[in-house]
PDB file of all heavy atoms in Angstrom:
ATOM      1  N   SER T   1      13.811   4.790   4.772  1.00 98.00           N
ATOM      2  CA  SER T   1      14.287   4.847   6.195  1.00 98.00           C
ATOM      3  C   SER T   1      13.093   4.651   7.140  1.00 98.00           C
ATOM      4  O   SER T   1      13.368   4.465   8.368  1.00 98.00           O
ATOM      5  CB  SER T   1      14.933   6.186   6.478  1.00 98.00           C
ATOM      6  OG  SER T   1      13.995   7.250   6.310  1.00 98.00           O
ATOM      7  N   ASN T   2      11.905   4.518   6.674  1.00 98.00           N
ATOM      8  CA  ASN T   2      10.786   4.276   7.527  1.00 98.00           C
ATOM      9  C   ASN T   2      10.508   2.752   7.680  1.00 98.00           C
ATOM     10  O   ASN T   2       9.642   2.376   8.489  1.00 98.00           O
ATOM     11  CB  ASN T   2       9.478   4.894   6.988  1.00 98.00           C
ATOM     12  CG  ASN T   2       9.551   6.458   7.016  1.00 98.00           C
ATOM     13  OD1 ASN T   2       9.978   7.017   7.992  1.00 98.00           O
ATOM     14  ND2 ASN T   2       9.169   7.079   5.936  1.00 98.00           N
ATOM     15  N   ASN T   3      11.203   1.968   6.988  1.00 98.00           N
ATOM     16  CA  ASN T   3      10.972   0.547   6.895  1.00 98.00           C
ATOM     17  C   ASN T   3      12.166  -0.278   7.328  1.00 98.00           C
ATOM     18  O   ASN T   3      13.313   0.195   7.321  1.00 98.00           O
ATOM     19  CB  ASN T   3      10.608   0.113   5.488  1.00 98.00           C
ATOM     20  CG  ASN T   3       9.205   0.546   5.111  1.00 98.00           C
ATOM     21  OD1 ASN T   3       8.560   1.384   5.766  1.00 98.00           O
ATOM     22  ND2 ASN T   3       8.748   0.088   3.984  1.00 98.00           N
ATOM     23  N   VAL T   4      11.906  -1.561   7.629  1.00 98.00           N
ATOM     24  CA  VAL T   4      12.986  -2.536   7.797  1.00 98.00           C
ATOM     25  C   VAL T   4      12.787  -3.690   6.717  1.00 98.00           C
ATOM     26  O   VAL T   4      11.702  -3.869   6.236  1.00 98.00           O
ATOM     27  CB  VAL T   4      12.918  -3.230   9.229  1.00 98.00           C
ATOM     28  CG1 VAL T   4      13.359  -2.176  10.281  1.00 98.00           C
ATOM     29  CG2 VAL T   4      11.601  -3.864   9.509  1.00 98.00           C
ATOM     30  N   ILE T   5      13.914  -4.379   6.435  1.00 98.00           N
ATOM     31  CA  ILE T   5      13.839  -5.526   5.515  1.00 98.00           C
ATOM     32  C   ILE T   5      13.695  -6.750   6.350  1.00 98.00           C
ATOM     33  O   ILE T   5      14.444  -6.999   7.251  1.00 98.00           O
ATOM     34  CB  ILE T   5      15.166  -5.598   4.664  1.00 98.00           C
ATOM     35  CG1 ILE T   5      15.318  -4.382   3.804  1.00 98.00           C
ATOM     36  CG2 ILE T   5      15.090  -6.855   3.798  1.00 98.00           C
ATOM     37  CD1 ILE T   5      14.294  -4.212   2.674  1.00 98.00           C
ATOM     38  N   LEU T   6      12.652  -7.566   6.049  1.00 98.00           N
ATOM     39  CA  LEU T   6      12.461  -8.788   6.782  1.00 98.00           C
ATOM     40  C   LEU T   6      13.340  -9.904   6.312  1.00 98.00           C
ATOM     41  O   LEU T   6      13.450 -10.141   5.083  1.00 98.00           O
ATOM     42  CB  LEU T   6      10.913  -9.185   6.661  1.00 98.00           C
ATOM     43  CG  LEU T   6       9.914  -8.116   7.055  1.00 98.00           C
ATOM     44  CD1 LEU T   6       8.570  -8.700   7.094  1.00 98.00           C
ATOM     45  CD2 LEU T   6      10.243  -7.457   8.398  1.00 98.00           C
ATOM     46  N   LEU T   7      13.926 -10.625   7.190  1.00 98.00           N
ATOM     47  CA  LEU T   7      15.030 -11.577   6.841  1.00 98.00           C
ATOM     48  C   LEU T   7      14.568 -12.670   5.891  1.00 98.00           C
ATOM     49  O   LEU T   7      15.173 -12.788   4.845  1.00 98.00           O
ATOM     50  CB  LEU T   7      15.539 -12.214   8.168  1.00 98.00           C
ATOM     51  CG  LEU T   7      16.560 -13.375   7.963  1.00 98.00           C
ATOM     52  CD1 LEU T   7      17.829 -12.793   7.397  1.00 98.00           C
ATOM     53  CD2 LEU T   7      16.819 -14.118   9.293  1.00 98.00           C
ATOM     54  N   TYR T   8      13.564 -13.468   6.227  1.00 98.00           N
ATOM     55  CA  TYR T   8      13.247 -14.623   5.400  1.00 98.00           C
ATOM     56  C   TYR T   8      12.494 -14.231   4.159  1.00 98.00           C
ATOM     57  O   TYR T   8      12.648 -14.887   3.088  1.00 98.00           O
ATOM     58  CB  TYR T   8      12.458 -15.632   6.271  1.00 98.00           C
ATOM     59  CG  TYR T   8      13.233 -16.190   7.404  1.00 98.00           C
ATOM     60  CD1 TYR T   8      12.595 -16.281   8.689  1.00 98.00           C
ATOM     61  CD2 TYR T   8      14.522 -16.619   7.269  1.00 98.00           C
ATOM     62  CE1 TYR T   8      13.326 -16.789   9.744  1.00 98.00           C
ATOM     63  CE2 TYR T   8      15.228 -17.131   8.387  1.00 98.00           C
ATOM     64  CZ  TYR T   8      14.588 -17.205   9.598  1.00 98.00           C
ATOM     65  OH  TYR T   8      15.332 -17.702  10.728  1.00 98.00           O
ATOM     66  N   SER T   9      11.607 -13.287   4.167  1.00 97.00           N
ATOM     67  CA  SER T   9      10.760 -12.970   3.048  1.00 97.00           C
ATOM     68  C   SER T   9      11.378 -11.869   2.122  1.00 97.00           C
ATOM     69  O   SER T   9      11.040 -11.822   0.998  1.00 97.00           O
ATOM     70  CB  SER T   9       9.376 -12.492   3.569  1.00 97.00           C
ATOM     71  OG  SER T   9       9.481 -11.296   4.302  1.00 97.00           O
ATOM     72  N   GLY T  10      12.264 -11.011   2.686  1.00 98.00           N
ATOM     73  CA  GLY T  10      12.808  -9.974   1.877  1.00 98.00           C
ATOM     74  C   GLY T  10      11.915  -8.791   1.762  1.00 98.00           C
ATOM     75  O   GLY T  10      12.255  -7.803   1.046  1.00 98.00           O
ATOM     76  N   VAL T  11      10.799  -8.837   2.391  1.00 98.00           N
ATOM     77  CA  VAL T  11       9.804  -7.707   2.239  1.00 98.00           C
ATOM     78  C   VAL T  11      10.275  -6.468   2.996  1.00 98.00           C
ATOM     79  O   VAL T  11      10.883  -6.635   4.089  1.00 98.00           O
ATOM     80  CB  VAL T  11       8.432  -8.200   2.758  1.00 98.00           C
ATOM     81  CG1 VAL T  11       7.473  -7.034   2.944  1.00 98.00           C
ATOM     82  CG2 VAL T  11       7.825  -9.262   1.798  1.00 98.00           C
ATOM     83  N   SER T  12       9.944  -5.305   2.479  1.00 98.00           N
ATOM     84  CA  SER T  12      10.198  -4.026   3.220  1.00 98.00           C
ATOM     85  C   SER T  12       8.891  -3.668   3.918  1.00 98.00           C
ATOM     86  O   SER T  12       7.834  -3.569   3.382  1.00 98.00           O
ATOM     87  CB  SER T  12      10.599  -2.946   2.245  1.00 98.00           C
ATOM     88  OG  SER T  12      10.795  -1.701   2.851  1.00 98.00           O
ATOM     89  N   ARG T  13       8.967  -3.549   5.267  1.00 98.00           N
ATOM     90  CA  ARG T  13       7.792  -3.297   6.065  1.00 98.00           C
ATOM     91  C   ARG T  13       7.990  -2.120   7.018  1.00 98.00           C
ATOM     92  O   ARG T  13       9.115  -1.938   7.507  1.00 98.00           O
ATOM     93  CB  ARG T  13       7.376  -4.564   6.813  1.00 98.00           C
ATOM     94  CG  ARG T  13       6.082  -4.461   7.565  1.00 98.00           C
ATOM     95  CD  ARG T  13       5.553  -5.820   7.995  1.00 98.00           C
ATOM     96  NE  ARG T  13       5.188  -6.647   6.812  1.00 98.00           N
ATOM     97  CZ  ARG T  13       4.930  -7.929   6.854  1.00 98.00           C
ATOM     98  NH1 ARG T  13       4.893  -8.594   7.983  1.00 98.00           N
ATOM     99  NH2 ARG T  13       4.611  -8.531   5.772  1.00 98.00           N
ATOM    100  N   SER T  14       6.947  -1.410   7.322  1.00 98.00           N
ATOM    101  CA  SER T  14       7.044  -0.224   8.192  1.00 98.00           C
ATOM    102  C   SER T  14       7.659  -0.603   9.553  1.00 98.00           C
ATOM    103  O   SER T  14       7.200  -1.613  10.145  1.00 98.00           O
ATOM    104  CB  SER T  14       5.670   0.411   8.361  1.00 98.00           C
ATOM    105  OG  SER T  14       5.763   1.412   9.331  1.00 98.00           O
ATOM    106  N   LYS T  15       8.550   0.227  10.006  1.00 98.00           N
ATOM    107  CA  LYS T  15       9.117   0.040  11.412  1.00 98.00           C
ATOM    108  C   LYS T  15       8.050   0.065  12.474  1.00 98.00           C
ATOM    109  O   LYS T  15       8.208  -0.624  13.412  1.00 98.00           O
ATOM    110  CB  LYS T  15      10.136   1.137  11.648  1.00 98.00           C
ATOM    111  CG  LYS T  15      11.388   1.024  10.836  1.00 98.00           C
ATOM    112  CD  LYS T  15      12.316   2.221  11.135  1.00 98.00           C
ATOM    113  CE  LYS T  15      13.658   2.153  10.307  1.00 98.00           C
ATOM    114  NZ  LYS T  15      14.536   3.321  10.607  1.00 98.00           N
ATOM    115  N   SER T  16       6.950   0.783  12.207  1.00 98.00           N
ATOM    116  CA  SER T  16       5.908   0.885  13.211  1.00 98.00           C
ATOM    117  C   SER T  16       5.051  -0.349  13.333  1.00 98.00           C
ATOM    118  O   SER T  16       4.311  -0.475  14.317  1.00 98.00           O
ATOM    119  CB  SER T  16       4.987   2.108  12.890  1.00 98.00           C
ATOM    120  OG  SER T  16       4.307   1.860  11.671  1.00 98.00           O
ATOM    121  N   LEU T  17       5.169  -1.320  12.413  1.00 98.00           N
ATOM    122  CA  LEU T  17       4.385  -2.528  12.410  1.00 98.00           C
ATOM    123  C   LEU T  17       5.068  -3.667  13.211  1.00 98.00           C
ATOM    124  O   LEU T  17       4.958  -4.832  12.773  1.00 98.00           O
ATOM    125  CB  LEU T  17       4.022  -3.001  11.006  1.00 98.00           C
ATOM    126  CG  LEU T  17       3.098  -2.060  10.276  1.00 98.00           C
ATOM    127  CD1 LEU T  17       2.876  -2.565   8.792  1.00 98.00           C
ATOM    128  CD2 LEU T  17       1.738  -1.984  11.009  1.00 98.00           C
ATOM    129  N   ASN T  18       5.812  -3.345  14.214  1.00 97.00           N
ATOM    130  CA  ASN T  18       6.361  -4.390  15.103  1.00 97.00           C
ATOM    131  C   ASN T  18       5.370  -4.859  16.087  1.00 97.00           C
ATOM    132  O   ASN T  18       4.737  -4.027  16.751  1.00 97.00           O
ATOM    133  CB  ASN T  18       7.658  -3.868  15.756  1.00 97.00           C
ATOM    134  CG  ASN T  18       7.431  -2.697  16.622  1.00 97.00           C
ATOM    135  OD1 ASN T  18       7.010  -1.627  16.174  1.00 97.00           O
ATOM    136  ND2 ASN T  18       7.694  -2.830  17.965  1.00 97.00           N
ATOM    137  N   GLY T  19       5.279  -6.174  16.277  1.00 96.00           N
ATOM    138  CA  GLY T  19       4.310  -6.725  17.211  1.00 96.00           C
ATOM    139  C   GLY T  19       4.091  -8.216  16.925  1.00 96.00           C
ATOM    140  O   GLY T  19       4.947  -8.897  16.277  1.00 96.00           O
ATOM    141  N   GLY T  20       2.950  -8.678  17.361  1.00 95.00           N
ATOM    142  CA  GLY T  20       2.700 -10.105  17.292  1.00 95.00           C
ATOM    143  C   GLY T  20       1.484 -10.465  16.476  1.00 95.00           C
ATOM    144  O   GLY T  20       1.107 -11.690  16.426  1.00 95.00           O
ATOM    145  N   ASN T  21       0.888  -9.526  15.734  1.00 96.00           N
ATOM    146  CA  ASN T  21      -0.280  -9.866  14.943  1.00 96.00           C
ATOM    147  C   ASN T  21       0.018 -10.167  13.461  1.00 96.00           C
ATOM    148  O   ASN T  21       1.183  -9.789  13.021  1.00 96.00           O
ATOM    149  CB  ASN T  21      -1.245  -8.681  14.964  1.00 96.00           C
ATOM    150  CG  ASN T  21      -1.728  -8.366  16.397  1.00 96.00           C
ATOM    151  OD1 ASN T  21      -2.003  -9.338  17.176  1.00 96.00           O
ATOM    152  ND2 ASN T  21      -1.843  -7.136  16.709  1.00 96.00           N
ATOM    153  N   THR T  22      -0.911 -10.738  12.773  1.00 96.00           N
ATOM    154  CA  THR T  22      -0.721 -10.961  11.334  1.00 96.00           C
ATOM    155  C   THR T  22      -0.418  -9.616  10.622  1.00 96.00           C
ATOM    156  O   THR T  22      -1.136  -8.675  10.888  1.00 96.00           O
ATOM    157  CB  THR T  22      -1.979 -11.657  10.757  1.00 96.00           C
ATOM    158  OG1 THR T  22      -2.177 -12.915  11.390  1.00 96.00           O
ATOM    159  CG2 THR T  22      -1.802 -11.858   9.226  1.00 96.00           C
ATOM    160  N   GLY T  23       0.574  -9.623   9.732  1.00 96.00           N
ATOM    161  CA  GLY T  23       0.987  -8.382   9.091  1.00 96.00           C
ATOM    162  C   GLY T  23       2.032  -7.589   9.874  1.00 96.00           C
ATOM    163  O   GLY T  23       2.601  -6.634   9.333  1.00 96.00           O
ATOM    164  N   ASN T  24       2.318  -7.960  11.081  1.00 98.00           N
ATOM    165  CA  ASN T  24       3.424  -7.356  11.829  1.00 98.00           C
ATOM    166  C   ASN T  24       4.744  -8.130  11.567  1.00 98.00           C
ATOM    167  O   ASN T  24       4.774  -9.196  11.021  1.00 98.00           O
ATOM    168  CB  ASN T  24       3.145  -7.469  13.354  1.00 98.00           C
ATOM    169  CG  ASN T  24       2.048  -6.554  13.835  1.00 98.00           C
ATOM    170  OD1 ASN T  24       1.483  -6.732  14.880  1.00 98.00           O
ATOM    171  ND2 ASN T  24       1.636  -5.556  13.021  1.00 98.00           N
ATOM    172  N   TRP T  25       5.832  -7.509  12.028  1.00 98.00           N
ATOM    173  CA  TRP T  25       7.102  -8.186  12.127  1.00 98.00           C
ATOM    174  C   TRP T  25       7.544  -8.311  13.567  1.00 98.00           C
ATOM    175  O   TRP T  25       7.109  -7.520  14.455  1.00 98.00           O
ATOM    176  CB  TRP T  25       8.179  -7.438  11.291  1.00 98.00           C
ATOM    177  CG  TRP T  25       8.520  -5.994  11.781  1.00 98.00           C
ATOM    178  CD1 TRP T  25       7.976  -4.838  11.342  1.00 98.00           C
ATOM    179  CD2 TRP T  25       9.555  -5.624  12.722  1.00 98.00           C
ATOM    180  NE1 TRP T  25       8.520  -3.762  11.961  1.00 98.00           N
ATOM    181  CE2 TRP T  25       9.504  -4.179  12.833  1.00 98.00           C
ATOM    182  CE3 TRP T  25      10.442  -6.350  13.525  1.00 98.00           C
ATOM    183  CZ2 TRP T  25      10.361  -3.462  13.624  1.00 98.00           C
ATOM    184  CZ3 TRP T  25      11.328  -5.632  14.365  1.00 98.00           C
ATOM    185  CH2 TRP T  25      11.221  -4.179  14.403  1.00 98.00           C
ATOM    186  N   ASN T  26       8.283  -9.409  13.861  1.00 98.00           N
ATOM    187  CA  ASN T  26       8.712  -9.580  15.277  1.00 98.00           C
ATOM    188  C   ASN T  26      10.186  -9.969  15.275  1.00 98.00           C
ATOM    189  O   ASN T  26      10.871  -9.944  14.271  1.00 98.00           O
ATOM    190  CB  ASN T  26       7.797 -10.619  15.935  1.00 98.00           C
ATOM    191  CG  ASN T  26       7.808 -11.991  15.254  1.00 98.00           C
ATOM    192  OD1 ASN T  26       8.546 -12.223  14.285  1.00 98.00           O
ATOM    193  ND2 ASN T  26       6.973 -12.879  15.736  1.00 98.00           N
ATOM    194  N   ARG T  27      10.666 -10.324  16.464  1.00 98.00           N
ATOM    195  CA  ARG T  27      12.071 -10.538  16.695  1.00 98.00           C
ATOM    196  C   ARG T  27      12.366 -12.025  16.566  1.00 98.00           C
ATOM    197  O   ARG T  27      12.099 -12.834  17.443  1.00 98.00           O
ATOM    198  CB  ARG T  27      12.468 -10.039  18.091  1.00 98.00           C
ATOM    199  CG  ARG T  27      12.262  -8.515  18.254  1.00 98.00           C
ATOM    200  CD  ARG T  27      12.179  -8.123  19.779  1.00 98.00           C
ATOM    201  NE  ARG T  27      10.870  -8.632  20.363  1.00 98.00           N
ATOM    202  CZ  ARG T  27      10.558  -8.334  21.562  1.00 98.00           C
ATOM    203  NH1 ARG T  27      11.312  -7.541  22.344  1.00 98.00           N
ATOM    204  NH2 ARG T  27       9.450  -8.807  22.066  1.00 98.00           N
ATOM    205  N   GLU T  28      12.965 -12.377  15.434  1.00 98.00           N
ATOM    206  CA  GLU T  28      13.335 -13.812  15.227  1.00 98.00           C
ATOM    207  C   GLU T  28      14.723 -14.147  15.838  1.00 98.00           C
ATOM    208  O   GLU T  28      15.693 -13.415  15.566  1.00 98.00           O
ATOM    209  CB  GLU T  28      13.370 -14.107  13.739  1.00 98.00           C
ATOM    210  CG  GLU T  28      14.212 -15.265  13.224  1.00 98.00           C
ATOM    211  CD  GLU T  28      13.607 -16.645  13.550  1.00 98.00           C
ATOM    212  OE1 GLU T  28      12.901 -16.753  14.547  1.00 98.00           O
ATOM    213  OE2 GLU T  28      13.886 -17.565  12.800  1.00 98.00           O
ATOM    214  N   HIS T  29      14.752 -15.180  16.640  1.00 98.00           N
ATOM    215  CA  HIS T  29      16.040 -15.724  17.095  1.00 98.00           C
ATOM    216  C   HIS T  29      16.531 -16.694  16.048  1.00 98.00           C
ATOM    217  O   HIS T  29      15.975 -17.805  15.920  1.00 98.00           O
ATOM    218  CB  HIS T  29      15.864 -16.413  18.447  1.00 98.00           C
ATOM    219  CG  HIS T  29      15.584 -15.487  19.598  1.00 98.00           C
ATOM    220  ND1 HIS T  29      14.339 -15.015  19.811  1.00 98.00           N
ATOM    221  CD2 HIS T  29      16.396 -15.022  20.569  1.00 98.00           C
ATOM    222  CE1 HIS T  29      14.354 -14.196  20.913  1.00 98.00           C
ATOM    223  NE2 HIS T  29      15.658 -14.181  21.339  1.00 98.00           N
TER     224      HIS T  29
END
């Protein structure tokens, strides 16, 4: 529950790592 699943890669990543840097996840249209 601390993570989100990334759409294209399928990776589970921490919810706190949202942003624009390498290693972050962002909002894909």
Side-chain angles (χ1 to χ4, degrees):
S1 62
N2 295 315
N3 288 10
V4 292
I5 299 291
L6 307 188
L7 175 65
Y8 298 134
S9 62
V11 168
S12 178
R13 185 165 294 171
S14 173
K15 291 177 179 179
S16 66
L17 291 176
N18 59 298
N21 298 321
T22 299
N24 289 161
W25 61 269
N26 59 6
R27 298 159 292 185
E28 157 74 331
H29 291 79

